[in-house]
Amino acid sequence: DTEVTQTPKHLVMGMTNKKSLKCEQHMGHRAMYWYKQKAKKPPELMFVYSYEKLSINESVPSRFSPECPNSSLLNLHLHALQPEDSALYLCASSQETTSGIYEQFFGPGTRLTVL
Amino acid sequence: DAKTTQPNSMESNEEEPVHLPCNHSTISGTDYIHWYRQLPSQGPEYVIHGLTSNVNNRMASLAIAEDRKSSTLILHRATLRDAAVYYCILSQAGTALIFGKGTTLSVSS
């Protein structure tokens, strides 16, 4: 199984809502990532988890809160988002991040619209 | 992070070879060259990576210049399914991928 799954596929939320994005992999990978992608732009790195610990936060606003409950799951909790946060949110995983070069496997993304 | 420069777009005909260039004049000795592609409505997918020597896999070939300041991704026979955005990325071992603008490849039948 070389798949990264993301739920939901689409999400529409108001600026006062709280919602969560979920990402799951069963490849035994110990590194997981969140990227944000606006239309016609490249993916932008948001967070990196290595061995379930947050290792990189690319100065992301606190209205985005990542969580890695175990080595297979990665969540992104959303609260008080702005319309400009509307984007495709991509999750990825790789074997690890501490050394070596490992292929990153990406999920299909969650298309988020903030009204 | 070391930067890459790619053409915004390229066009190809089906079943012809495609050479996608990437310039990375500030590459360091420990930077690996990665290529990922993103098909429409999908997440990016790995294509190939290399350090100094040319590399081949089932999807493509990677030709790296001797001075490593540029590289070329070669698709040997383009198909309609190869229409995608192709990203050339430099990264060191153990670091996350930082995407640049990429090249949008169009393939015509």
Short mmCIF file of all heavy atoms in Angstrom, two decimals, chain A residues 8-72:
data_model
loop_
_atom_site.label_atom_id
_atom_site.label_comp_id
_atom_site.label_asym_id
_atom_site.label_seq_id
_atom_site.Cartn_x
_atom_site.Cartn_y
_atom_site.Cartn_z
N PRO A 8 -11.65 15.42 4.52
CA PRO A 8 -12.51 15.15 3.37
C PRO A 8 -11.85 15.58 2.06
O PRO A 8 -10.79 16.20 2.08
CB PRO A 8 -13.72 16.04 3.68
CG PRO A 8 -13.15 17.20 4.41
CD PRO A 8 -12.01 16.66 5.23
N LYS A 9 -12.47 15.27 0.95
CA LYS A 9 -11.95 15.73 -0.34
C LYS A 9 -12.22 17.22 -0.53
O LYS A 9 -11.42 17.94 -1.13
CB LYS A 9 -12.59 14.95 -1.48
CG LYS A 9 -12.09 13.54 -1.62
CD LYS A 9 -12.62 12.91 -2.89
CE LYS A 9 -12.10 11.53 -3.22
NZ LYS A 9 -11.34 10.81 -2.23
N HIS A 10 -13.39 17.64 -0.08
CA HIS A 10 -13.79 19.05 -0.19
C HIS A 10 -14.33 19.50 1.15
O HIS A 10 -14.96 18.71 1.87
CB HIS A 10 -14.89 19.23 -1.25
CG HIS A 10 -14.50 18.80 -2.62
ND1 HIS A 10 -13.83 19.62 -3.51
CD2 HIS A 10 -14.67 17.62 -3.27
CE1 HIS A 10 -13.62 18.97 -4.63
NE2 HIS A 10 -14.11 17.75 -4.53
N LEU A 11 -14.10 20.76 1.50
CA LEU A 11 -14.61 21.31 2.74
C LEU A 11 -14.94 22.77 2.53
O LEU A 11 -14.10 23.53 2.01
CB LEU A 11 -13.58 21.15 3.86
CG LEU A 11 -13.93 21.72 5.23
CD1 LEU A 11 -15.16 21.01 5.79
CD2 LEU A 11 -12.76 21.60 6.19
N VAL A 12 -16.14 23.15 2.92
CA VAL A 12 -16.55 24.55 2.90
C VAL A 12 -16.82 24.95 4.35
O VAL A 12 -17.55 24.24 5.05
CB VAL A 12 -17.81 24.77 2.04
CG1 VAL A 12 -18.21 26.25 2.06
CG2 VAL A 12 -17.57 24.31 0.61
N MET A 13 -16.23 26.01 4.80
CA MET A 13 -16.43 26.43 6.18
C MET A 13 -16.52 27.95 6.29
O MET A 13 -15.97 28.68 5.45
CB MET A 13 -15.31 25.91 7.09
CG MET A 13 -13.92 26.38 6.74
SD MET A 13 -12.64 25.58 7.74
CE MET A 13 -12.91 26.32 9.35
N GLY A 14 -17.23 28.38 7.33
CA GLY A 14 -17.31 29.80 7.62
C GLY A 14 -16.13 30.24 8.46
O GLY A 14 -15.40 29.42 9.01
N MET A 15 -15.97 31.53 8.56
CA MET A 15 -14.80 32.06 9.27
C MET A 15 -14.86 31.80 10.78
O MET A 15 -13.83 31.87 11.46
CB MET A 15 -14.67 33.56 8.99
CG MET A 15 -14.24 33.87 7.58
SD MET A 15 -13.83 35.59 7.32
CE MET A 15 -15.45 36.31 7.24
N THR A 16 -16.02 31.45 11.31
CA THR A 16 -16.10 31.18 12.75
C THR A 16 -16.09 29.69 13.06
O THR A 16 -16.11 29.29 14.22
CB THR A 16 -17.38 31.80 13.33
OG1 THR A 16 -18.50 31.27 12.62
CG2 THR A 16 -17.34 33.33 13.19
N ASN A 17 -16.08 28.88 12.03
CA ASN A 17 -16.13 27.42 12.25
C ASN A 17 -14.81 26.86 12.74
O ASN A 17 -13.74 27.46 12.56
CB ASN A 17 -16.49 26.70 10.94
CG ASN A 17 -17.91 26.95 10.48
OD1 ASN A 17 -18.21 26.82 9.31
ND2 ASN A 17 -18.79 27.32 11.40
N LYS A 18 -14.90 25.66 13.33
CA LYS A 18 -13.72 24.85 13.62
C LYS A 18 -13.88 23.54 12.87
O LYS A 18 -14.92 22.87 12.99
CB LYS A 18 -13.64 24.52 15.12
CG LYS A 18 -13.20 25.63 16.01
CD LYS A 18 -13.02 25.12 17.43
CE LYS A 18 -12.65 26.24 18.37
NZ LYS A 18 -12.47 25.77 19.75
N LYS A 19 -12.85 23.20 12.11
CA LYS A 19 -12.89 21.95 11.35
C LYS A 19 -11.51 21.31 11.40
O LYS A 19 -10.53 21.94 11.79
CB LYS A 19 -13.27 22.21 9.89
CG LYS A 19 -14.66 22.78 9.67
CD LYS A 19 -15.72 21.73 9.86
CE LYS A 19 -17.09 22.32 9.54
NZ LYS A 19 -18.18 21.33 9.80
N SER A 20 -11.45 20.06 10.96
CA SER A 20 -10.16 19.37 10.91
C SER A 20 -9.99 18.63 9.60
O SER A 20 -10.95 18.08 9.06
CB SER A 20 -10.06 18.36 12.07
OG SER A 20 -10.09 19.01 13.31
N LEU A 21 -8.76 18.62 9.10
CA LEU A 21 -8.39 17.82 7.95
C LEU A 21 -7.62 16.61 8.47
O LEU A 21 -6.84 16.72 9.43
CB LEU A 21 -7.50 18.61 6.99
CG LEU A 21 -8.00 19.99 6.55
CD1 LEU A 21 -7.04 20.57 5.52
CD2 LEU A 21 -9.41 19.93 6.03
N LYS A 22 -7.84 15.48 7.80
CA LYS A 22 -7.20 14.24 8.26
C LYS A 22 -6.36 13.64 7.15
O LYS A 22 -6.74 13.69 5.97
CB LYS A 22 -8.28 13.25 8.69
CG LYS A 22 -7.76 11.93 9.20
CD LYS A 22 -8.93 11.03 9.60
CE LYS A 22 -8.47 9.62 9.88
NZ LYS A 22 -9.59 8.72 10.19
N CYS A 23 -5.23 13.09 7.54
CA CYS A 23 -4.32 12.43 6.59
C CYS A 23 -3.86 11.12 7.21
O CYS A 23 -3.56 11.06 8.40
CB CYS A 23 -3.13 13.34 6.33
SG CYS A 23 -1.82 12.58 5.34
N GLU A 24 -3.79 10.07 6.39
CA GLU A 24 -3.42 8.76 6.90
C GLU A 24 -2.51 8.03 5.91
O GLU A 24 -2.70 8.13 4.69
CB GLU A 24 -4.69 7.94 7.13
CG GLU A 24 -4.52 6.75 8.03
CD GLU A 24 -5.85 6.21 8.55
OE1 GLU A 24 -6.93 6.76 8.18
OE2 GLU A 24 -5.83 5.25 9.32
N GLN A 25 -1.52 7.35 6.45
CA GLN A 25 -0.66 6.49 5.62
C GLN A 25 -0.32 5.24 6.40
O GLN A 25 -0.19 5.29 7.62
CB GLN A 25 0.61 7.24 5.17
CG GLN A 25 1.48 7.82 6.27
CD GLN A 25 2.50 6.88 6.87
OE1 GLN A 25 2.79 5.82 6.29
NE2 GLN A 25 3.07 7.24 8.01
N HIS A 26 -0.16 4.14 5.67
CA HIS A 26 0.16 2.86 6.29
C HIS A 26 1.39 2.26 5.64
O HIS A 26 1.47 1.05 5.43
CB HIS A 26 -1.04 1.92 6.21
CG HIS A 26 -2.23 2.42 6.98
ND1 HIS A 26 -2.29 2.37 8.35
CD2 HIS A 26 -3.37 3.01 6.56
CE1 HIS A 26 -3.42 2.91 8.75
NE2 HIS A 26 -4.11 3.30 7.70
N MET A 27 2.36 3.13 5.33
CA MET A 27 3.60 2.67 4.72
C MET A 27 4.73 2.58 5.75
O MET A 27 5.87 2.34 5.38
CB MET A 27 4.00 3.63 3.60
CG MET A 27 3.01 3.63 2.43
SD MET A 27 3.42 4.80 1.14
CE MET A 27 2.67 6.30 1.79
N GLY A 28 4.41 2.85 7.02
CA GLY A 28 5.45 2.83 8.04
C GLY A 28 6.35 4.04 8.01
O GLY A 28 7.44 4.03 8.59
N HIS A 29 5.90 5.09 7.32
CA HIS A 29 6.70 6.31 7.24
C HIS A 29 6.71 7.05 8.56
O HIS A 29 5.71 7.08 9.27
CB HIS A 29 6.15 7.22 6.13
CG HIS A 29 6.41 6.69 4.75
ND1 HIS A 29 5.85 7.27 3.62
CD2 HIS A 29 7.15 5.66 4.31
CE1 HIS A 29 6.25 6.61 2.56
NE2 HIS A 29 7.04 5.61 2.95
N ARG A 30 7.85 7.66 8.88
CA ARG A 30 7.97 8.36 10.15
C ARG A 30 8.04 9.87 9.98
O ARG A 30 8.24 10.59 10.95
CB ARG A 30 9.19 7.87 10.93
CG ARG A 30 9.19 6.37 11.18
CD ARG A 30 7.86 5.85 11.76
NE ARG A 30 7.53 6.44 13.03
CZ ARG A 30 7.92 5.94 14.21
NH1 ARG A 30 8.64 4.86 14.24
NH2 ARG A 30 7.56 6.53 15.32
N ALA A 31 7.91 10.35 8.74
CA ALA A 31 7.86 11.79 8.48
C ALA A 31 6.57 12.11 7.75
O ALA A 31 6.20 11.40 6.80
CB ALA A 31 9.06 12.23 7.65
N MET A 32 5.89 13.15 8.19
CA MET A 32 4.66 13.57 7.54
C MET A 32 4.65 15.08 7.42
O MET A 32 5.25 15.80 8.23
CB MET A 32 3.43 13.07 8.31
CG MET A 32 3.34 11.54 8.31
SD MET A 32 1.84 10.88 9.04
CE MET A 32 0.66 11.12 7.71
N TYR A 33 3.98 15.56 6.36
CA TYR A 33 4.08 16.96 5.96
C TYR A 33 2.69 17.52 5.62
O TYR A 33 1.85 16.81 5.08
CB TYR A 33 4.93 17.10 4.69
CG TYR A 33 6.25 16.36 4.69
CD1 TYR A 33 6.31 14.99 4.48
CD2 TYR A 33 7.45 17.05 4.86
CE1 TYR A 33 7.52 14.31 4.46
CE2 TYR A 33 8.66 16.38 4.83
CZ TYR A 33 8.69 15.01 4.63
OH TYR A 33 9.89 14.35 4.61
N TRP A 34 2.53 18.81 5.88
CA TRP A 34 1.39 19.55 5.34
C TRP A 34 1.92 20.64 4.39
O TRP A 34 2.86 21.36 4.74
CB TRP A 34 0.58 20.24 6.43
CG TRP A 34 -0.37 19.36 7.17
CD1 TRP A 34 -0.32 19.01 8.48
CD2 TRP A 34 -1.55 18.72 6.64
NE1 TRP A 34 -1.38 18.20 8.81
CE2 TRP A 34 -2.14 18.00 7.70
CE3 TRP A 34 -2.17 18.68 5.38
CZ2 TRP A 34 -3.31 17.25 7.53
CZ3 TRP A 34 -3.32 17.94 5.23
CH2 TRP A 34 -3.88 17.23 6.30
N TYR A 35 1.29 20.71 3.22
CA TYR A 35 1.57 21.77 2.26
C TYR A 35 0.25 22.47 1.94
O TYR A 35 -0.81 21.87 1.94
CB TYR A 35 2.10 21.20 0.95
CG TYR A 35 3.52 20.67 0.98
CD1 TYR A 35 3.80 19.38 1.44
CD2 TYR A 35 4.58 21.43 0.49
CE1 TYR A 35 5.10 18.89 1.44
CE2 TYR A 35 5.88 20.95 0.48
CZ TYR A 35 6.13 19.67 0.95
OH TYR A 35 7.41 19.19 0.94
N LYS A 36 0.37 23.75 1.58
CA LYS A 36 -0.77 24.53 1.11
C LYS A 36 -0.50 24.92 -0.34
O LYS A 36 0.62 25.33 -0.67
CB LYS A 36 -0.91 25.79 1.96
CG LYS A 36 -1.94 26.79 1.48
CD LYS A 36 -1.92 28.03 2.37
CE LYS A 36 -2.87 29.10 1.87
NZ LYS A 36 -2.85 30.29 2.76
N GLN A 37 -1.51 24.77 -1.20
CA GLN A 37 -1.33 25.12 -2.61
C GLN A 37 -2.48 25.98 -3.09
O GLN A 37 -3.63 25.53 -3.16
CB GLN A 37 -1.21 23.86 -3.47
CG GLN A 37 -0.87 24.17 -4.92
CD GLN A 37 -0.58 22.93 -5.74
OE1 GLN A 37 -1.08 21.85 -5.47
NE2 GLN A 37 0.24 23.07 -6.78
N LYS A 38 -2.16 27.21 -3.46
CA LYS A 38 -3.14 28.10 -4.07
C LYS A 38 -3.18 27.79 -5.57
O LYS A 38 -2.24 27.22 -6.14
CB LYS A 38 -2.74 29.56 -3.85
CG LYS A 38 -2.60 29.95 -2.39
CD LYS A 38 -3.92 30.21 -1.73
CE LYS A 38 -4.40 31.62 -1.97
NZ LYS A 38 -5.65 31.90 -1.22
N ALA A 39 -4.26 28.22 -6.20
CA ALA A 39 -4.46 27.92 -7.62
C ALA A 39 -3.30 28.44 -8.47
O ALA A 39 -2.86 29.58 -8.29
CB ALA A 39 -5.78 28.53 -8.10
N LYS A 40 -2.82 27.61 -9.35
CA LYS A 40 -1.76 27.95 -10.30
C LYS A 40 -0.42 28.28 -9.63
O LYS A 40 0.45 28.91 -10.25
CB LYS A 40 -2.16 29.15 -11.20
CG LYS A 40 -3.49 29.00 -11.88
CD LYS A 40 -3.40 28.04 -13.02
CE LYS A 40 -4.71 28.05 -13.81
NZ LYS A 40 -4.78 26.94 -14.77
N LYS A 41 -0.27 27.90 -8.37
CA LYS A 41 0.97 28.14 -7.64
C LYS A 41 1.57 26.81 -7.19
O LYS A 41 0.87 25.80 -7.12
CB LYS A 41 0.70 29.01 -6.40
CG LYS A 41 0.15 30.39 -6.71
CD LYS A 41 1.17 31.26 -7.38
CE LYS A 41 0.65 32.67 -7.53
NZ LYS A 41 1.62 33.52 -8.29
N PRO A 42 2.87 26.80 -6.85
CA PRO A 42 3.45 25.55 -6.34
C PRO A 42 3.03 25.30 -4.90
O PRO A 42 2.62 26.23 -4.20
CB PRO A 42 4.96 25.82 -6.43
CG PRO A 42 5.08 27.30 -6.35
CD PRO A 42 3.87 27.86 -7.01
N PRO A 43 3.13 24.06 -4.44
CA PRO A 43 2.85 23.78 -3.02
C PRO A 43 3.83 24.52 -2.11
O PRO A 43 5.01 24.63 -2.42
CB PRO A 43 3.05 22.26 -2.92
CG PRO A 43 2.91 21.75 -4.31
CD PRO A 43 3.43 22.84 -5.20
N GLU A 44 3.30 25.02 -0.99
CA GLU A 44 4.13 25.71 0.02
C GLU A 44 4.17 24.86 1.28
O GLU A 44 3.11 24.48 1.81
CB GLU A 44 3.52 27.07 0.39
CG GLU A 44 3.46 28.08 -0.71
CD GLU A 44 2.73 29.33 -0.24
OE1 GLU A 44 2.93 29.75 0.92
OE2 GLU A 44 1.92 29.87 -1.02
N LEU A 45 5.34 24.60 1.78
CA LEU A 45 5.49 23.80 2.98
C LEU A 45 4.94 24.55 4.18
O LEU A 45 5.21 25.74 4.36
CB LEU A 45 6.97 23.48 3.21
CG LEU A 45 7.30 22.59 4.40
CD1 LEU A 45 6.74 21.17 4.20
CD2 LEU A 45 8.81 22.53 4.62
N MET A 46 4.14 23.84 4.99
CA MET A 46 3.60 24.44 6.21
C MET A 46 4.26 23.82 7.45
O MET A 46 4.81 24.51 8.28
CB MET A 46 2.09 24.21 6.29
CG MET A 46 1.29 24.81 5.17
SD MET A 46 -0.45 24.37 5.28
CE MET A 46 -1.01 25.35 6.67
N PHE A 47 4.14 22.51 7.58
CA PHE A 47 4.61 21.80 8.78
C PHE A 47 5.29 20.50 8.37
O PHE A 47 4.91 19.87 7.39
CB PHE A 47 3.45 21.45 9.71
CG PHE A 47 2.63 22.61 10.19
CD1 PHE A 47 1.37 22.85 9.65
CD2 PHE A 47 3.11 23.45 11.19
CE1 PHE A 47 0.60 23.91 10.10
CE2 PHE A 47 2.34 24.52 11.64
CZ PHE A 47 1.09 24.75 11.08
N VAL A 48 6.26 20.09 9.22
CA VAL A 48 6.89 18.78 9.07
C VAL A 48 6.87 18.11 10.44
O VAL A 48 7.26 18.71 11.44
CB VAL A 48 8.35 18.87 8.57
CG1 VAL A 48 8.94 17.46 8.46
CG2 VAL A 48 8.43 19.59 7.24
N TYR A 49 6.42 16.86 10.46
CA TYR A 49 6.50 16.03 11.65
C TYR A 49 7.51 14.93 11.39
O TYR A 49 7.48 14.27 10.36
CB TYR A 49 5.15 15.41 11.98
CG TYR A 49 4.30 16.28 12.87
CD1 TYR A 49 3.53 17.31 12.33
CD2 TYR A 49 4.27 16.10 14.24
CE1 TYR A 49 2.76 18.12 13.14
CE2 TYR A 49 3.51 16.91 15.07
CZ TYR A 49 2.75 17.92 14.50
OH TYR A 49 2.00 18.73 15.31
N SER A 50 8.39 14.73 12.37
CA SER A 50 9.37 13.66 12.28
C SER A 50 9.25 12.83 13.54
O SER A 50 9.40 13.37 14.65
CB SER A 50 10.77 14.25 12.14
OG SER A 50 11.74 13.23 12.08
N TYR A 51 8.97 11.54 13.39
CA TYR A 51 8.77 10.66 14.55
C TYR A 51 7.75 11.27 15.52
O TYR A 51 7.99 11.34 16.73
CB TYR A 51 10.10 10.36 15.24
CG TYR A 51 11.02 9.51 14.38
CD1 TYR A 51 11.88 10.10 13.46
CD2 TYR A 51 10.98 8.12 14.45
CE1 TYR A 51 12.69 9.33 12.64
CE2 TYR A 51 11.80 7.33 13.64
CZ TYR A 51 12.64 7.95 12.74
OH TYR A 51 13.44 7.17 11.93
N GLU A 52 6.65 11.72 14.96
CA GLU A 52 5.50 12.27 15.69
C GLU A 52 5.78 13.57 16.42
O GLU A 52 4.95 14.04 17.20
CB GLU A 52 4.90 11.26 16.68
CG GLU A 52 4.28 10.04 16.01
CD GLU A 52 5.18 8.82 16.07
OE1 GLU A 52 5.32 8.25 17.16
OE2 GLU A 52 5.75 8.45 15.02
N LYS A 53 6.91 14.17 16.17
CA LYS A 53 7.22 15.46 16.79
C LYS A 53 7.31 16.54 15.70
O LYS A 53 7.89 16.30 14.63
CB LYS A 53 8.53 15.39 17.56
CG LYS A 53 8.46 14.59 18.85
CD LYS A 53 9.73 14.71 19.64
CE LYS A 53 9.64 14.16 21.06
NZ LYS A 53 8.74 13.05 21.28
N LEU A 54 6.77 17.71 16.03
CA LEU A 54 6.83 18.81 15.08
C LEU A 54 8.27 19.28 14.93
O LEU A 54 8.90 19.68 15.90
CB LEU A 54 5.94 19.96 15.56
CG LEU A 54 5.84 21.17 14.63
CD1 LEU A 54 5.16 20.79 13.31
CD2 LEU A 54 5.07 22.30 15.32
N SER A 55 8.80 19.20 13.71
CA SER A 55 10.19 19.58 13.51
C SER A 55 10.32 20.88 12.71
O SER A 55 11.32 21.58 12.83
CB SER A 55 10.97 18.46 12.81
OG SER A 55 10.43 18.20 11.52
N ILE A 56 9.34 21.19 11.89
CA ILE A 56 9.37 22.43 11.11
C ILE A 56 7.98 23.07 11.13
O ILE A 56 6.98 22.41 10.89
CB ILE A 56 9.81 22.18 9.65
CG1 ILE A 56 11.25 21.71 9.60
CG2 ILE A 56 9.61 23.44 8.80
CD1 ILE A 56 11.74 21.38 8.19
N ASN A 57 7.95 24.35 11.44
CA ASN A 57 6.75 25.16 11.30
C ASN A 57 7.17 26.39 10.50
O ASN A 57 7.93 27.22 10.99
CB ASN A 57 6.22 25.57 12.68
CG ASN A 57 5.02 26.51 12.60
OD1 ASN A 57 4.77 27.14 11.58
ND2 ASN A 57 4.29 26.61 13.68
N GLU A 58 6.72 26.47 9.27
CA GLU A 58 7.15 27.54 8.38
C GLU A 58 6.39 28.84 8.64
O GLU A 58 5.75 29.39 7.75
CB GLU A 58 7.00 27.12 6.92
CG GLU A 58 7.96 26.02 6.49
CD GLU A 58 9.37 26.51 6.30
OE1 GLU A 58 9.58 27.73 6.10
OE2 GLU A 58 10.30 25.69 6.37
N SER A 59 6.43 29.29 9.91
CA SER A 59 5.78 30.57 10.29
C SER A 59 4.31 30.60 9.88
O SER A 59 3.82 31.60 9.34
CB SER A 59 6.52 31.75 9.64
OG SER A 59 7.87 31.74 10.01
N VAL A 60 3.63 29.50 10.14
CA VAL A 60 2.22 29.40 9.78
C VAL A 60 1.38 30.06 10.88
O VAL A 60 1.66 29.86 12.07
CB VAL A 60 1.82 27.91 9.62
CG1 VAL A 60 0.34 27.79 9.28
CG2 VAL A 60 2.68 27.26 8.55
N PRO A 61 0.35 30.82 10.53
CA PRO A 61 -0.51 31.46 11.54
C PRO A 61 -1.11 30.42 12.48
O PRO A 61 -1.38 29.27 12.09
CB PRO A 61 -1.59 32.14 10.71
CG PRO A 61 -1.00 32.31 9.36
CD PRO A 61 -0.05 31.19 9.16
N SER A 62 -1.37 30.85 13.73
CA SER A 62 -1.84 29.92 14.76
C SER A 62 -3.26 29.42 14.51
O SER A 62 -3.70 28.49 15.19
CB SER A 62 -1.77 30.59 16.13
OG SER A 62 -2.59 31.76 16.12
N ARG A 63 -3.95 29.98 13.55
CA ARG A 63 -5.29 29.47 13.23
C ARG A 63 -5.20 28.08 12.56
O ARG A 63 -6.20 27.39 12.41
CB ARG A 63 -6.07 30.44 12.37
CG ARG A 63 -5.41 30.83 11.06
CD ARG A 63 -6.24 31.92 10.36
NE ARG A 63 -5.71 32.29 9.06
CZ ARG A 63 -4.85 33.27 8.87
NH1 ARG A 63 -4.42 33.99 9.90
NH2 ARG A 63 -4.41 33.55 7.64
N PHE A 64 -3.98 27.69 12.17
CA PHE A 64 -3.72 26.34 11.69
C PHE A 64 -2.96 25.60 12.80
O PHE A 64 -1.88 26.04 13.21
CB PHE A 64 -2.85 26.35 10.43
CG PHE A 64 -3.50 26.99 9.24
CD1 PHE A 64 -3.35 28.34 8.99
CD2 PHE A 64 -4.27 26.23 8.37
CE1 PHE A 64 -3.96 28.93 7.90
CE2 PHE A 64 -4.87 26.81 7.26
CZ PHE A 64 -4.72 28.16 7.03
N SER A 65 -3.50 24.49 13.25
CA SER A 65 -2.88 23.76 14.35
C SER A 65 -2.70 22.30 13.96
O SER A 65 -3.67 21.55 13.85
CB SER A 65 -3.77 23.87 15.59
OG SER A 65 -3.25 23.09 16.63
N PRO A 66 -1.45 21.87 13.74
CA PRO A 66 -1.25 20.47 13.34
C PRO A 66 -1.22 19.56 14.56
O PRO A 66 -0.94 19.98 15.68
CB PRO A 66 0.12 20.52 12.66
CG PRO A 66 0.85 21.60 13.39
CD PRO A 66 -0.18 22.61 13.79
N GLU A 67 -1.49 18.28 14.29
CA GLU A 67 -1.43 17.28 15.35
C GLU A 67 -1.05 15.95 14.73
O GLU A 67 -1.57 15.60 13.66
CB GLU A 67 -2.81 17.16 16.03
CG GLU A 67 -2.86 16.10 17.12
CD GLU A 67 -4.29 15.71 17.47
OE1 GLU A 67 -5.22 15.91 16.64
OE2 GLU A 67 -4.47 15.15 18.56
N CYS A 68 -0.16 15.23 15.40
CA CYS A 68 0.23 13.91 14.91
C CYS A 68 -0.02 12.91 16.03
O CYS A 68 0.86 12.63 16.83
CB CYS A 68 1.70 13.92 14.49
SG CYS A 68 2.22 12.45 13.59
N PRO A 69 -1.23 12.34 16.11
CA PRO A 69 -1.58 11.45 17.22
C PRO A 69 -0.81 10.13 17.23
O PRO A 69 -0.60 9.56 18.29
CB PRO A 69 -3.08 11.19 17.03
CG PRO A 69 -3.49 11.86 15.78
CD PRO A 69 -2.33 12.58 15.20
N ASN A 70 -0.42 9.65 16.06
CA ASN A 70 0.42 8.46 15.98
C ASN A 70 1.16 8.48 14.64
O ASN A 70 0.96 9.39 13.84
CB ASN A 70 -0.40 7.17 16.17
CG ASN A 70 -1.48 7.01 15.12
OD1 ASN A 70 -1.20 7.03 13.92
ND2 ASN A 70 -2.72 6.86 15.56
N SER A 71 1.98 7.47 14.41
CA SER A 71 2.86 7.52 13.24
C SER A 71 2.11 7.40 11.92
O SER A 71 2.68 7.66 10.87
CB SER A 71 3.90 6.40 13.33
OG SER A 71 3.27 5.13 13.39
N SER A 72 0.84 7.02 11.95
CA SER A 72 0.08 6.85 10.70
C SER A 72 -0.86 8.01 10.40
O SER A 72 -1.37 8.10 9.29
CB SER A 72 -0.78 5.57 10.77
OG SER A 72 0.01 4.45 10.95
#
